[in-house]
Amino acid sequence: MNQAQTFHTPHELVRVLGKPAEEFTREDLIHASELLGIQMINFRYLGEDGRLKTLNFIISDKDHLETILTDGERIDGSQLFSSIEAGSSDLYVIPRYKTAFINPFSDVPTMELLCSFYNSDGEPLESDPSYIIRKAHAAFTKETGARFHALAELEYYVISESEPLYPCINQRGYHESRPFSQSENLRVEALRLIAQAGGKIKYGHSEVGCFTMGKTLYEQHEIEFLPQPIEDAVDQLIIAKWIVRMLGEKAGVTISYAPKITIGKAGSGLHFHMMAVRDGVNLMVDESGLSDLAKKMIAGLLECSTPLTAFGNTIPTSYLRLVPHQEAPTNVCWGDRNRSVVVRVPLGWTGGNRMIQTANPAFPPDVPVRMSKQTIEFRIPDGSADVYNLGAGLVVACLHGIRMPGALDKARDLYVDGNLFDERNREKLKSLKQLPGSCVESAQALLEKRAIFESDGIFPASVIDSTARRLEEFKDRGMSERIYGKEDEIRAIVNEFIHIR
């Protein structure tokens, strides 16, 4: 029996077709459409603004469906990407079959597919974010023989009318339960629907951020995924953000992925965990602990941390989050189990299998040998991230570290033991490079190190230029200091970017 059939899967198309999504063919999707009575096909794709775009098709007959799934459709690319001129703007959008899922919100049976962009010659569009990330992954695999796996931690706020019967405790929402977590049901429904759409979820929980302003409740939640190849990790993140927002609309509440809601309260990050996997082995660890490969990848992430903000922290309020003592990084360094650093090495279940056996001494279970779960976590990005280009940038940074002379020395020199802001680390803190403090500074960092991202033909020069140009247009240098303590100005700029990406 196919492995996908041995356990009840929430993914309706996987269940109907009896095969994993990675093996979906055009004929499979036509067959599933007939079985499920699909009446509509939606093409989905990201524009430069990070918003999910839609092209709707009403299916008239089987030939029409076959044509859509084979030929795709043409669109005006100049409306989506500033680097494309109106005089030569026609693009093709072509569906990627493995991304197909059934829309849980549509009134008629509808199949959704993510798409890639192709130019007038039928070649992949060089500036297509989904193509850039595929190129980055291919270069990493060619160099290392390993696949680059990643998972994201999606944090968001649910903004609703406060329920006074069970009020939240200010900044004490971490892992809170109903009835003190007012939006737990929305999060649980999101987990269910994301899994139905093919998302591989690790868990969901309420987060630290919980506060009220007047009669409005701001409640923070997190959904964390399981490691997937980097392209799939980003695809499922895009769909997950859409599903959570759709549930918010349905419930009459506001969902925001904004990096900062107000000063002094927990911001929302978009942390990425990474590992290199070869032949079922996690290369982040070896017999001595964290491997040299992992340390080189960390060195590359640190070397590229300032330009990576151009993809991961794309709006002025991003830099209201990257401040000291808020569990967000401000200085370029790394450490173990440390939330004040750029790269954290979290617990990785490296202590053997004793925990489950001592927790269940009467009936200790047999524990099968599994691939190590050890990851390295990049903690800078937030919900404004340009997720495809961020994912590609993380791969490029890690590849740069693997190739970089002196990478192990750099990793050793930038290691911080314990909390960076402890008194014993005061001298170390003085020696560390700081992250950008504005979009303008982020753009400058990207332009200074653009050669790293343009190497191997991964990032086109036009993407680097357009990214820097958008950041520079904010003219936000010194904004954090300028608006400090000015509640009306802070509220205005937060509201301006409350629905970014």
Side-chain angles (χ1 to χ4, degrees), residues 4 37 171 188 217 302 343 411 415 470:
Q171 298 295 278
V188 170
L217 170 65
L302 297 177
V343 178
Y415 179 81
R470 290 195 305 276

Side-chain angles (χ1 to χ4, degrees), residues 347-402:
L347 289 172
W349 285 270
T350 55
N353 300 320
R354 296 184 300 275
M355 294 184 292
I356 191 64
Q357 292 167 342
T358 57
N360 301 275
F363 301 98
D366 293 328
V367 181
V369 176
R370 295 190 181 93
M371 184 177 74
S372 167
K373 298 180 182 180
Q374 185 66 65
T375 62
I376 56 176
E377 178 193 19
F378 191 67
R379 294 180 57 81
I380 297 176
D382 60 51
S384 74
D386 180 350
V387 288
Y388 278 122
N389 284 334
L390 172 61
L394 293 174
V395 180
V396 167
C398 289
L399 182 57
H400 177 70
I402 291 168

Side-chain angles (χ1 to χ4, degrees), residues 151-173:
L151 67 90
E153 298 179 5
L154 178 61
E155 293 183 339
Y156 59 94
Y157 269 93
V158 181
I159 305 172
S160 62
E161 185 176 346
S162 179
E163 171 53 66
L165 189 59
Y166 292 96
C168 75
I169 301 175
N170 182 45
Q171 298 295 278
R172 291 291 186 271

Side-chain angles (χ1 to χ4, degrees), residues 43-55 75-84 91-93 96 113-117 125 127-132 234-235 238 241 245 310-311 314 383-390 463 466-467 470 499-501:
F43 282 2
R44 304 276 189 168
Y45 35 89
L46 287 189
E48 190 175 85
D49 62 1
R51 301 279 185 88
L52 196 61
K53 311 303 180 185
T54 307
L55 193 59
I75 62 166
D76 181 359
S78 67
Q79 298 298 319
L80 299 178
F81 301 102
S82 60
S83 58
I84 295 177
L91 297 177
Y92 298 107
V93 283
R96 303 197 301 272
L113 294 110
L114 295 181
C115 296
S116 295
F117 298 98
L125 182 69
S127 57
D128 175 6
S130 68
Y131 183 49
I132 292 172
V234 173
D235 281 347
I238 291 165
K241 292 180 73 173
R245 273 199 175 117
F311 304 125
T314 67
S384 74
D386 180 350
V387 288
Y388 278 122
N389 284 334
L390 172 61
V463 171
S466 62
T467 299
R470 290 195 305 276
H499 290 309
I500 195 70
R501 296 192 186 272

Side-chain angles (χ1 to χ4, degrees), residues 5 7 19 24 26 44 74 152 170 198 257 274 294 335 364 373 443 457:
Q5 295 175 297
F7 192 84
K19 61 165 59 175
F24 286 175
R26 181 189 65 182
R44 304 276 189 168
R74 61 173 179 258
N170 182 45
Y257 303 107
M274 294 155 276
K373 298 180 182 180

Side-chain angles (χ1 to χ4, degrees), residues 78-147:
S78 67
Q79 298 298 319
L80 299 178
F81 301 102
S82 60
S83 58
I84 295 177
E85 297 181 359
S88 56
S89 64
D90 278 358
L91 297 177
Y92 298 107
V93 283
I94 304 297
R96 303 197 301 272
Y97 300 144
K98 70 176 181 177
T99 66
F101 67 96
I102 303 303
N103 186 320
F105 303 105
S106 178
D107 292 332
V108 300
T110 302
M111 184 183 294
E112 307 278 339
L113 294 110
L114 295 181
C115 296
S116 295
F117 298 98
Y118 286 74
N119 64 23
S120 59
D121 296 322
E123 299 296 329
L125 182 69
E126 286 294 326
S127 57
D128 175 6
S130 68
Y131 183 49
I132 292 172
I133 200 171
R134 292 201 305 274
K135 288 189 290 182
H137 198 175
F140 184 88
T141 300
K142 182 179 179 181
E143 180 81 18
T144 65
R147 299 288 287 162

Side-chain angles (χ1 to χ4, degrees), residues 268-481:
S268 291
L270 185 69
H271 305 158
F272 268 81
H273 292 251
M274 294 155 276
M275 61 170 67
V277 179
R278 186 196 307 147
D279 299 327
V281 176
N282 181 2
L283 303 182
M284 296 292 97
V285 290
D286 57 24
E287 301 81 12
S288 60
L290 199 67
S291 68
D292 283 352
L293 178 71
K295 293 173 184 175
K296 290 179 180 180
M297 290 170 63
I298 290 171
L301 290 167
L302 297 177
E303 178 73 12
C304 298
S305 58
T306 55
L308 281 171
T309 59
F311 304 125
N313 310 81
T314 67
I315 55 176
T317 52
S318 293
Y319 300 91
L320 300 179
R321 170 180 164 264
L322 299 178
V323 295
H325 310 295
Q326 292 289 311
E327 290 200 359
T330 54
N331 299 84
V332 179
C333 57
W334 71 286
D336 293 284
R337 301 174 296 281
N338 188 334
R339 287 178 164 80
S340 60
V341 295
V342 164
V343 178
R344 180 175 77 107
V345 181
L347 289 172
W349 285 270
T350 55
N353 300 320
R354 296 184 300 275
M355 294 184 292
I356 191 64
Q357 292 167 342
T358 57
N360 301 275
F363 301 98
D366 293 328
V367 181
V369 176
R370 295 190 181 93
M371 184 177 74
S372 167
K373 298 180 182 180
Q374 185 66 65
T375 62
I376 56 176
E377 178 193 19
F378 191 67
R379 294 180 57 81
I380 297 176
D382 60 51
S384 74
D386 180 350
V387 288
Y388 278 122
N389 284 334
L390 172 61
L394 293 174
V395 180
V396 167
C398 289
L399 182 57
H400 177 70
I402 291 168
R403 294 170 171 172
M404 185 171 61
L408 292 177
D409 292 335
K410 185 179 186 70
R412 183 193 63 238
D413 294 342
L414 294 179
Y415 179 81
V416 173
D417 184 15
N419 191 322
L420 176 60
F421 300 105
D422 282 351
E423 177 64 24
R424 61 191 174 94
N425 285 322
R426 182 172 60 176
E427 293 304 313
K428 183 78 170 182
L429 180 61
K430 291 179 181 178
S431 70
L432 298 175
K433 184 177 181 178
Q434 287 193 314
L435 293 174
S438 66
C439 292
V440 171
E441 294 167 61
S442 177
Q444 182 180 353
L446 178 63
L447 293 174
E448 287 174 354
K449 294 195 174 182
R450 64 185 302 160
I452 295 173
F453 298 92
E454 292 173 2
S455 63
D456 298 290
I458 295 172
F459 277 87
S462 62
V463 171
I464 301 299
D465 290 335
S466 62
T467 299
R469 184 168 58 250
R470 290 195 305 276
L471 292 167
E472 289 168 343
E473 287 173 354
F474 287 119
K475 296 181 173 60
D476 64 335
R477 189 188 295 271
M479 183 200 74
S480 296
E481 295 81 3

Side-chain angles (χ1 to χ4, degrees), residues 216-229:
T216 302
L217 170 65
Y218 296 81
E219 193 174 82
Q220 191 180 35
H221 293 261
E222 177 181 303
I223 295 172
E224 184 168 326
F225 298 88
L226 292 169
Q228 299 290 309

